[in-house]
Amino acid sequence: MVNNGEHIGDMTTMVTVTNTAIKRGYTENFKMTTKGLYAPTTKISYLPNEVVIDNFYRFEGQSSPEDNAILYLITSHDGIMGMLIDSYGADANEDISKFIKEVEDIQKTVSGHEQKPL
């Protein structure tokens, strides 16, 4: 498991990282829709300027590139904290990739944003 290029102790599986994230309050299971990032619990959709990517974790499949996944930890402007999972590489969801790039571009223009360690 790679987190921004550095290895993190025992957080080597998506299950371990997901469980830790839930314990830290990232309980929403965000989905991507045509209206934006959707929070099923609150039924609210968010635009890229309404969320922050707190951190991300990349998981590389040992047996197949199809097993590559990325887990985003996201906080919305109104305090909803959750996760969004996507494949990366050739199997990445184009809508998620576009949304995440827009969020990252916005975050780059905001000074002082640092990724939160899990």
Side-chain angles (χ1 to χ4, degrees):
M1 194 279 309
V2 178
N3 168 33
N4 305 331
E6 63 184 69
H7 292 278
I8 299 201
D10 65 343
M11 296 184 42
T12 57
T13 68
M14 188 175 296
V15 171
T16 304
V17 173
T18 301
N19 287 339
T20 301
I22 290 169
K23 289 177 187 173
R24 303 247 169 107
Y26 293 90
T27 56
E28 186 63 64
N29 186 21
F30 289 117
K31 305 288 182 201
M32 199 76 237
T33 69
T34 56
K35 293 182 180 181
L37 187 68
Y38 180 71
T41 303
T42 60
K43 297 181 174 51
I44 297 174
S45 291
Y46 298 98
L47 299 174
N49 65 332
E50 298 176 317
V51 301
V52 172
I53 300 169
D54 296 324
N55 215 329
F56 66 92
Y57 298 85
R58 193 174 62 204
F59 301 90
E60 298 174 359
Q62 293 184 14
S63 60
S64 171
E66 294 173 357
D67 295 336
N68 293 343
I70 190 163
L71 170 70
Y72 296 98
L73 300 182
I74 298 172
T75 301
S76 68
H77 69 96
D78 57 357
I80 302 298
M81 296 169 58
M83 295 173 268
L84 178 66
I85 298 171
D86 190 18
S87 296
Y88 72 89
D91 294 328
N93 178 306
E94 188 175 315
D95 293 332
I96 292 175
S97 297
K98 182 180 174 191
F99 185 89
I100 294 298
K101 176 155 180 17
E102 288 180 38
V103 173
E104 290 173 340
D105 288 347
I106 291 167
Q107 282 182 207
K108 287 177 186 174
T109 63
V110 177
S111 64
H113 176 75
E114 294 182 26
Q115 292 186 326
K116 299 177 188 175
L118 191 60

